[in-house]
Amino acid sequence: MRAPTAAAGPTAPLPRSFFDRPVLAVAADLLGRTVVHETEAGPVELRLTEVEAYDGANDPGSHAFRGRTARNATMFGPPGHLYVYFTYGMHYCANLVCGPPDRASGVLLRAGEITTGLALARARRPTTRKDTDLASGPARLATALALDRAQDGVDVCDPAGPVRVLYGTPPPRTAIRTGPRTGVGGGGATQPWRFHIAGDPTVSPYRAHQPRKRTTKPAAPPAAGDPVQSG
């Protein structure tokens, strides 16, 4: 399915029909689109340069693979909404919900170029040395845009909404590259569902999945009178 054309201009919000398509089609078409979040401090806009697709029940790498939970409920709602989750006890990441309700697919926003509100993005990411790193990676992107669980479920197709996805300026198809998703292991490790703009300096580096190291404490010796299990 083809993406809608930018007849209304690059600053118009994408229609819901854009997101009501298979997730892989939406993911590729999101590159070059503009994401804007307007807050009391002012707006920050970025041009998407890297995304990843997650296909719900068909995808072991998806949060929705095992069904609906309180955390991922937004993924099961209508397309064109923002799904924001908290991870590793310290970061937020943002996704755009795709496909029909109950289908639970989405696109992770991995990286972008700040095009408006550069000073505000710098203030939100004060330790960043280069502007190209302000939104290079999904947690950095969410921080630069000030996205957290308060924005979970926001309708990005609402012209009056605080978070919108605009038509922007998509790159030529020849500039789009694909590959395996960053940090995804198990059955979801091999799909080439990471999409990025070739040569763009804001694209985050690819990292293969690294299993977490688990440390185990040596078992305490049994107390007197405790049974000792074997076998």
Side-chain angles (χ1 to χ4, degrees):
M1 298 174 66
R2 298 182 63 184
T5 59
T11 60
L14 288 167
R16 200 165 314 283
S17 58
F18 177 94
F19 299 98
D20 193 7
R21 298 182 294 151
V23 67
L24 293 178
V26 175
D29 283 339
L30 275 171
L31 295 176
R33 310 295 184 172
T34 299
V35 181
V36 55
H37 184 197
E38 295 191 18
T39 66
E40 291 183 358
V44 171
E45 298 183 8
L46 64 77
R47 168 180 164 267
L48 287 172
T49 59
E50 180 188 6
V51 299
E52 287 179 343
Y54 288 86
D55 196 20
N58 298 319
D59 179 7
S62 171
H63 285 179
F65 181 63
R66 291 182 174 85
R68 186 193 300 259
T69 66
R71 182 198 198 198
N72 67 21
T74 299
M75 291 188 74
F76 291 82
H81 287 71
L82 197 65
Y83 164 51
V84 184
Y85 65 88
F86 193 52
T87 184
Y88 296 118
M90 63 181 73
H91 300 305
Y92 293 96
C93 296
N95 303 253
L96 292 167
V97 178
C98 305
D102 297 322
R103 182 65 180 77
S105 60
V107 179
L108 173 66
L109 308 183
R110 279 203 58 86
E113 174 194 6
I114 304 296
T115 56
T116 297
L118 189 58
L120 185 52
R122 287 171 178 162
R124 291 170 178 165
R125 301 260 301 121
T127 61
T128 302
R129 296 182 178 181
K130 299 186 298 181
D131 288 346
T132 53
D133 289 340
L134 286 169
S136 180
R140 294 177 179 182
L141 181 151
T143 301
L145 286 174
L147 299 176
D148 57 29
R149 286 290 287 179
Q151 286 74 50
D152 182 56
V154 165
D155 184 352
V156 302
C157 302
D158 180 357
V163 184
R164 302 182 300 281
V165 182
L166 314 180
Y167 275 98
T169 307
R173 287 283 174 173
T174 54
I176 296 176
R177 300 290 183 271
T178 63
R181 295 173 295 187
T182 296
V184 175
T190 59
Q191 292 98 327
W193 290 355
R194 174 176 175 251
F195 298 82
H196 65 279
I197 299 175
D200 193 287
T202 65
V203 172
S204 64
Y206 169 75
R207 292 186 177 89
H209 173 69
Q210 296 292 333
R212 295 188 189 181
K213 293 182 180 180
R214 296 182 180 273
T215 57
T216 56
K217 296 181 179 179
D226 285 349
V228 179
Q229 295 181 339
S230 64

